[in-house]
Amino acid sequence: MTFAALRASSRLLPVAWLTALLVGVSGLLASCGGGGVIPSPGAQVRPLDPSFATRKAVAYSPFRTNNRNTETITAPMVLQDLQLLVAAKIGLIRLYDSSDAVSKLTLQVIQQNALDIKVQLGAYVSPNNDAGNQAELQRCITLANTYRDIVLAVSVGNETLYDYSVVPLDPKTLAGYIATVRAAVTQPVTTDDQWPVYAGTSAKDATLVLNQIDFAAIHTYSLIDSVYNLWNWQQTSVPANQRAAAMMQAAIAE
């Protein structure tokens, strides 16, 4: 099962639809270097809700300026955004954290207005901040359980294992955070990270993390990857009239 969509750096943009792939984990992680029994010895992998294969999706953040530390998000702002999404037939959003100011408010707006929108809820964790991270995990658990009919999946951490992460965590720490959340919610749980982590080409061994997750949330950056020539994206050996298709196939294979 593949699913295009959940990655944007700030305010919602339709161009973010194809910047990540969520991939059903069955049969996948062994080929990604995970191995072992997933997500832990004796545990049953939790399947993704069918909505992940049928709904259009985007990452969502309600901020309208770059002043995230001072801007106040209001329910009418969020409702306006979400009504636009519903009108565009987008029915699944990713929230990056479990903050009261954004994620709790967004879930409240969805519920109070009976909007047909489902959520992949995030728990945003950072290095050298265990107390803050633990508080975030508890907020995430509370929201996932309170809004169980809206929150279809949970993601703990955002690009924490990638070699150039701005919020690096060691795999053991992240695996522990994931285990904490997974033990307290019923939804499938993952972590969002760039494709080298799942491909086993990142400097960090992600096995501990892969053995804790129910599905893989894979970020790709087609433009950045091409700028740095990380793989043969140009496909110059292919005839020009076939090159676009070859480039897409090469990207998927990579």
Side-chain angles (χ1 to χ4, degrees):
M1 178 187 301
T2 61
F3 175 74
L6 299 174
R7 177 70 181 142
S9 60
S10 97
R11 186 155 155 64
L12 169 64
L13 291 173
V15 294
W17 288 8
L18 299 179
T19 52
L21 296 177
L22 270 86
V23 184
V25 80
S26 299
L28 171 68
L29 291 186
S31 64
C32 289
V37 178
I38 300 164
S40 62
Q44 181 68 39
V45 173
R46 299 172 185 172
L48 278 172
D49 187 278
S51 295
F52 275 78
T54 60
R55 292 180 178 238
K56 290 182 179 179
V58 289
Y60 173 69
S61 178
F63 292 96
R64 284 152 164 74
T65 73
N66 291 326
N67 299 318
R68 295 188 175 209
N69 293 327
T70 58
E71 184 178 357
T72 300
I73 303 302
T74 66
M77 290 167 58
V78 173
L79 179 59
Q80 182 185 45
D81 288 345
L82 298 185
Q83 287 174 332
L84 288 170
L85 295 186
V86 171
K89 301 186 184 306
I90 294 170
L92 177 61
I93 62 174
R94 177 189 173 200
L95 298 173
Y96 283 80
D97 65 16
S98 289
S99 64
D100 291 345
V102 172
S103 294
K104 183 178 181 179
L105 178 62
T106 300
L107 289 165
Q108 289 173 338
V109 170
I110 292 172
Q111 183 182 72
Q112 291 168 3
N113 293 276
L115 298 175
D116 185 20
I117 293 179
K118 303 301 183 182
V119 171
Q120 176 177 305
L121 181 65
Y124 193 84
V125 291
S126 56
N128 304 314
N129 185 30
D130 187 63
N133 292 342
Q134 293 294 343
E136 172 76 348
L137 299 183
Q138 291 307 310
R139 286 191 296 269
C140 179
I141 290 167
T142 297
L143 291 177
N145 289 326
T146 301
Y147 298 94
R148 191 175 286 113
D149 59 330
I150 299 173
V151 176
L152 300 185
V154 175
S155 178
V156 180
N158 183 69
E159 298 189 357
T160 61
L161 300 180
Y162 185 55
D163 296 344
Y164 305 104
S165 173
V166 297
V167 284
L169 290 179
D170 66 89
K172 183 177 180 180
T173 299
L174 180 60
Y177 289 160
I178 293 171
T180 295
V181 172
R182 194 175 186 279
V185 304
T186 59
Q187 295 91 335
V189 179
T190 189
T191 187
D192 276 70
D193 222 312
Q194 295 201 46
W195 62 265
V197 172
Y198 286 104
T201 59
S202 179
K204 292 182 180 178
D205 181 359
T207 301
L208 287 173
V209 172
L210 298 184
N211 284 341
Q212 292 292 337
I213 62 176
D214 295 291
F215 67 101
I218 302 174
H219 291 181
T220 70
Y221 295 90
S222 302
L223 179 59
I224 294 176
D225 284 357
S226 65
V227 168
Y228 289 100
N229 288 311
L230 298 181
W231 53 280
N232 180 24
W233 65 274
Q234 293 178 310
Q235 296 292 298
T236 54
S237 63
V238 177
N241 64 348
Q242 302 173 28
R243 194 167 297 153
M247 292 167 75
M248 292 300 296
Q249 291 300 319
I252 292 169
E254 184 68 23

